[in-house]
Amino acid sequence: MRRSLIAAVAVTALATPLAIALTSGSAAAAPTAASKPVTDFNHDGYADLAISAPGGAVDGVAGAGYVSIVYGSASGADTAHAKQINRTTAGVPGDPEENGSFGGSTEAADLDGDGYTDLTVSNDKTDAVLWGSANGLTQASELQGGYTDQVKAGDFNGDGKADLVTNNQSTMEVRYGPFTRDGKPASTSSVQNGDDGPQELMVGDVTGDGADDLVTGHAMEEMQHSSRLWKGSKDGLSKTSTETKKFTTNGVIADVDKDGYGDLVAREVDEVSETQVYDAGAVRVIYGSKSGFSSRTAKIDQDTAGVPGASEAAEINGPEWGDQFGASLTAGDVTGDGYPDIAVGVPGENLGDAADTGAIVLLKGGANGLTGSGAQAFNQGTAGVPGVSEKGDNFGESVQLTDVNKDGLADLTVGVPQEDGTTKDSGAAWLFRGAKTGLTTTGITSFSPSTLGTPEAGARFGSDLTG
């Protein structure tokens, strides 16, 4: 039996007036990497959340899928005024289809440059865009350019206008903004990737030049390939790439040591893709520089000094998962010290005799980069966390750091799509508050489809989080 995680002690929140931008640098001597804009659909200054429920029923159609929009407020997530987006929403292309899984993937950016964040929703046939306004997400249209497997936002030419990079296996396309309200980009550029086309897209400014770069994760059949860096510049995203020489997936780019260069923080895996679910898991940090990724790297897992718990794999093809430390990752400044912190999902963590209950770990950024020093861990067995840890909950399957109450401290939303409500796999989300010393259970809230008044059965609420 694998040992369970020992949860960290929570602390009382202290508000500080510091921003949560993912990157920062000295104006006099260091570059300033491009930072991720706040997701704010109604432009009221509070960060908002888009929470996917791809298995939820719509008008009685099982598995049609929907997205719940939960707006931020001074008191946190405003669940009383949540909005549901699905294929019956005016302007969204198509009709609800059985097992259509609308909302399986979402991405946020101000595509038309009007100051309101917009939301793209990828589904089984077409991509839609919901346009932000003073009333939140209202008007919708089809995102032109055809169906894609993935959509990520960035500013790849550094012109201050949001761009989208899309992936459809062998072809990767950059759609440069601004976009028109019928979903048309200002221009496009395509790259052919070959048979091992990107499995993941990770966006951020590695070189500190003000233009976002792209890191892609690659695999073919059961074998993992090296991730690759594609540099952005005033001319847009390069059509050539360089290998990181690491097998990394599911990452984020954030300047964790605040030197002005974005760093890749990603799950490190071995060469065989199909056994990853049984891995103990680890996070690889590859530090950025003016020329791209440097030779400086770090590996962090649950055996690293300061990180609670222990790295535990599972028997391949056995009845339970490995810990999968790093299965989900998100960046944001939880403590308000100017350094991005990293929340790590550990969905296969055991708690006592219950397998795969799941947990999250917070790793803190600092002048020395990302380390295990001061790390915190939480699960549903932690004092103050609502709910009960149960076998197969996979707490931490998705994570998102964003400042929903505008106190200058990033808050953590944890998605748990396998959580059972009154029905199986209805899903739920937990919102931890940021504090000067880290995450805290003070003021913690949880909500689910039943809280929001949306269909529960098999909804898998929390499968994907955008904020």
Side-chain angles (χ1 to χ4, degrees):
M1 177 63 64
R2 296 185 294 129
R3 288 184 294 156
S4 62
L5 184 72
I6 304 300
V9 177
V11 293
T12 303
L14 293 174
T16 60
L18 295 176
I20 62 163
L22 297 188
T23 52
S24 179
S26 167
T32 301
S35 59
K36 180 182 176 182
V38 173
T39 296
D40 188 359
F41 302 125
N42 55 7
H43 198 54
D44 63 355
Y46 297 96
D48 305 318
L49 296 167
I51 305 173
S52 295
V58 176
D59 288 353
V61 180
Y66 61 85
V67 179
S68 289
I69 307 302
V70 180
Y71 295 98
S73 72
S75 57
D78 183 9
T79 56
H81 298 93
K83 180 181 179 67
Q84 185 191 129
I85 304 294
N86 58 55
R87 285 182 120 177
T88 69
T89 301
V92 174
D95 298 309
E97 295 183 359
E98 186 173 358
N99 299 321
S101 301
F102 178 85
S105 178
T106 59
E107 180 71 351
D110 180 9
L111 298 179
D112 58 356
D114 65 352
Y116 298 94
T117 306
D118 311 306
L119 183 73
T120 66
V121 183
S122 301
N123 56 81
D124 58 339
K125 291 184 178 179
T126 57
D127 297 329
V129 56
L130 286 300
W131 302 99
S133 73
N135 296 316
L137 294 176
T138 51
Q139 180 185 349
S141 61
E142 183 174 344
L143 187 64
Q144 295 188 22
Y147 167 72
T148 58
D149 291 334
Q150 298 177 76
V151 178
K152 287 291 183 182
D155 181 6
F156 301 107
N157 56 8
D159 66 353
K161 299 177 176 62
D163 311 315
L164 294 177
V165 58
T166 67
N167 172 45
N168 192 2
Q169 291 301 319
S170 62
T171 303
M172 191 164 62
E173 182 179 74
V174 182
R175 304 177 187 179
Y176 292 98
F179 289 70
T180 62
R181 278 294 177 108
D182 59 0
K184 183 179 180 180
S187 63
T188 63
S189 176
S190 297
V191 176
Q192 296 296 319
N193 289 297
D195 293 335
D196 70 340
Q199 310 299 309
E200 297 91 16
L201 305 175
M202 298 157 263
V203 175
D205 186 3
V206 173
T207 60
D209 63 355
D212 281 324
D213 308 301
L214 174 70
V215 176
T216 52
H218 295 261
M220 184 177 180
E221 297 178 347
E222 77 280 5
M223 302 305 292
Q224 196 74 36
H225 295 177
S226 171
S227 52
R228 304 171 192 168
L229 171 66
W230 311 73
K231 294 180 184 178
S233 72
K234 62 180 178 59
D235 298 318
L237 195 67
S238 173
K239 292 180 179 291
T240 60
S241 64
T242 56
E243 292 188 351
T244 67
K245 307 297 184 182
K246 301 291 182 182
F247 302 134
T248 52
T249 67
N250 302 334
V252 292
I253 297 173
D255 186 8
V256 294
D257 58 357
K258 209 168 63 171
D259 66 351
Y261 303 107
D263 311 307
L264 176 67
V265 183
R267 180 183 179 183
E268 182 169 84
V269 296
D270 60 25
E271 197 170 359
V272 181
S273 304
E274 61 186 1
T275 61
Q276 290 173 11
V277 70
Y278 304 105
D279 291 347
V283 169
R284 172 66 63 179
V285 186
I286 308 178
Y287 289 91
S289 73
K290 183 177 181 179
S291 59
F293 286 125
S294 69
S295 59
R296 179 190 173 203
T297 72
K299 180 179 178 179
I300 301 174
D301 59 24
Q302 287 182 283
D303 290 336
T304 299
V307 178
S311 290
E312 297 154 331
E315 180 184 354
I316 294 177
N317 297 322
E320 61 183 70
W321 290 358
D323 287 344
Q324 295 187 82
F325 184 86
S328 57
L329 293 161
T330 182
D333 184 4
V334 173
T335 63
D337 63 357
Y339 292 94
D341 307 304
I342 303 294
V344 182
V346 196
E349 185 70 40
N350 288 356
L351 186 64
D353 294 331
D356 303 331
T357 57
I360 63 95
V361 171
L362 182 71
L363 302 175
K364 296 176 182 177
N368 295 320
L370 197 67
T371 68
S373 178
Q376 298 175 283
F378 298 86
N379 55 54
Q380 286 190 74
T382 303
V385 177
V388 177
S389 288
E390 298 171 316
K391 179 180 179 180
D393 277 351
N394 306 132
F395 188 86
E397 189 165 325
S398 61
V399 289
Q400 180 66 57
L401 281 168
T402 189
D403 185 10
V404 297
N405 61 350
K406 203 173 62 172
D407 65 352
L409 308 171
D411 311 302
L412 176 65
T413 304
V414 180
V416 190
Q418 311 303 323
E419 178 76 11
D420 295 338
T422 58
T423 62
K424 182 176 174 58
D425 295 343
S426 54
W430 278 253
L431 182 62
F432 293 78
R433 295 290 182 88
K436 186 176 180 180
T437 52
L439 293 172
T440 175
T441 58
T442 301
I444 190 173
T445 57
S446 63
F447 49 94
S448 65
S450 62
T451 309
L452 306 183
T454 55
E456 282 190 86
R460 304 197 309 276
F461 180 86
S463 293
D464 187 60
L465 302 172
T466 294

